[in-house]
Amino acid sequence: MIDRLEKEVDMLERHLQVLKMVIDNEPIGIVKMSNETGYPHHKVRYSLRVLEEENLIEPSSQGAIKTERTDEFVDELDGKLDEIVTKLESMKIEEAAEIES
């Protein structure tokens, strides 16, 4: 059960790392991202596809570039992650048992 969550978090981390590379180095291609991150080309390509489906990046003839939606997403990201962390913290069974005691 937790294994799936861990895999999803790892994938989200990769997607965000690829997005950050696009923001910092646009336009940027798959080969450069793969070389700099150490992720295989197919994983970078998948992350780019996910980011494109979310309208956070778009392809150009020179490589991936950010969209109008990218800055808004980045501005909201930390708050959303904080909410998730808080929710996960509240799910800890040990802490819940200590509070009830």
Side-chain angles (χ1 to χ4, degrees):
M1 184 166 61
I2 293 295
D3 293 342
R4 281 192 316 219
L5 176 61
E6 190 174 8
K7 286 177 184 173
E8 287 292 326
V9 170
D10 288 343
M11 191 169 20
L12 176 62
E13 180 182 31
R14 185 180 76 232
H15 295 339
L16 293 176
Q17 188 174 5
V18 168
L19 178 61
K20 185 172 180 353
M21 289 191 74
V22 172
I23 292 168
D24 293 343
N25 303 291
E26 68 177 329
I28 185 169
I30 293 171
V31 173
K32 184 173 181 179
M33 280 190 261
S34 179
N35 291 341
E36 290 189 20
T37 62
Y39 293 126
H41 291 191
H42 71 277
K43 289 194 174 194
V44 171
R45 188 175 292 111
Y46 178 72
S47 291
L48 289 169
R49 186 175 335 121
V50 168
L51 294 168
E52 186 177 354
E53 287 172 2
E54 293 292 324
N55 295 316
L56 297 174
I57 65 163
E58 58 188 24
S60 76
S61 59
Q62 322 257 278
I65 58 173
K66 63 184 190 173
T67 66
E68 292 176 5
R69 181 163 147 48
T70 308
D71 291 336
E72 178 186 346
F73 173 82
V74 170
D75 290 344
E76 296 173 355
L77 179 64
D78 286 349
K80 288 183 179 185
L81 290 175
D82 287 342
E83 289 174 16
I84 293 168
V85 168
T86 300
K87 187 170 189 172
L88 289 170
E89 288 285 340
S90 74
M91 295 168 69
K92 289 183 178 179
I93 293 175
E94 270 185 35
E95 287 186 17
E98 291 173 11
I99 291 171
E100 291 175 5
S101 302

